[in-house]
Amino acid sequence: KGHSYMQSGKLAEALSACQRALAAVTKLHGPGSLELRPALHCLGETDEENGDYPAAREWLGKALAIDRAVLGDDHPETAEDLQTFSELELRTGNFKHGLELATQAIAVRERAFGASSDAVAKSEVTIANLLIDSGHPEDALPHAQRGIDIATKNHGPDSAYVASAYASLGTAYTDMKRRSEAEALF
């Protein structure tokens, strides 16, 4: 119910519903159960939408800790939470930590889904964006290009997946003052 409230812009109601869900699931399954993940994600997403980034970081950190304790570091669900956390760090300017998380996520995703999976492409674009926003656009180029290559192979050259990766590559070229290359990509 919390996600429904959040999607309709009712953030106070979303937060309340997510808190109730967390309390109920904790009572039923205990504080370290995987069953808590949806409620923790709900709270994290709602707090992020509210602009309460420290609280969002705390909820995502709790979900990730449960993943690691129950599933281990090399599980696809752990990688998904690493990816989600890295995207929050990108939005909040915690580039170093975001890059660490995204690098961990991509390693697990490559092993779990293969080097040419959509999950790997998504992580590559996140890494590119973290590098761009932290002032290292030249280091972002191979990551954005790999995202483009994977997305093109999986979805064709005109897909939204490819467009996102092209936008990252274009931003890197813009930051490098290579405007003609950037314009072609945009």
Side-chain angles (χ1 to χ4, degrees), residues 68-160:
R68 287 182 163 152
V70 177
L71 301 171
D73 289 334
D74 206 37
H75 193 278
E77 292 296 329
T78 304
E80 182 64 29
D81 280 351
L82 287 164
Q83 176 68 29
T84 300
F85 205 159
S86 72
E87 291 168 359
L88 173 65
E89 297 295 59
L90 171 62
R91 283 188 288 283
T92 59
N94 294 311
F95 305 124
K96 183 179 178 186
H97 188 233
L99 193 55
E100 291 169 10
L101 296 168
T103 301
Q104 292 170 29
I106 201 168
V108 174
R109 286 174 156 190
E110 284 179 337
R111 286 190 295 274
F113 304 120
S116 61
S117 69
D118 288 340
V120 168
K122 183 176 182 180
S123 291
E124 285 287 9
V125 172
T126 300
I127 290 171
N129 290 332
L130 285 157
L131 290 166
I132 292 164
D133 287 359
S134 66
H136 302 283
E138 62 285 342
D139 294 335
L141 297 177
H143 297 284
Q145 187 61 57
R146 185 170 181 215
I148 290 168
D149 294 344
I150 293 169
T152 300
K153 178 183 173 202
N154 293 345
H155 302 282
D158 297 325
S159 74

Side-chain angles (χ1 to χ4, degrees), residues 29-37 62-75 77-78:
H29 298 285
S33 170
L34 283 174
E35 302 297 324
L36 297 175
R37 289 178 77 245
K62 286 181 180 184
L64 184 56
I66 290 171
D67 292 341
R68 287 182 163 152
V70 177
L71 301 171
D73 289 334
D74 206 37
H75 193 278
E77 292 296 329
T78 304

Side-chain angles (χ1 to χ4, degrees), residues 3-81:
H3 286 288
S4 297
Y5 281 131
M6 188 172 52
Q7 290 175 349
S8 63
K10 298 176 181 176
L11 298 180
E13 292 91 337
L15 191 58
S16 179
C18 296
Q19 289 168 335
R20 286 191 309 273
L22 180 62
V25 174
T26 301
K27 187 175 180 179
L28 284 171
H29 298 285
S33 170
L34 283 174
E35 302 297 324
L36 297 175
R37 289 178 77 245
L40 292 169
H41 287 194
C42 184
L43 285 162
E45 291 169 23
T46 302
D47 279 333
E48 182 179 355
E49 192 69 25
N50 272 324
D52 188 350
Y53 300 120
R57 192 173 284 113
E58 183 179 336
W59 297 122
L60 292 177
K62 286 181 180 184
L64 184 56
I66 290 171
D67 292 341
R68 287 182 163 152
V70 177
L71 301 171
D73 289 334
D74 206 37
H75 193 278
E77 292 296 329
T78 304
E80 182 64 29
D81 280 351

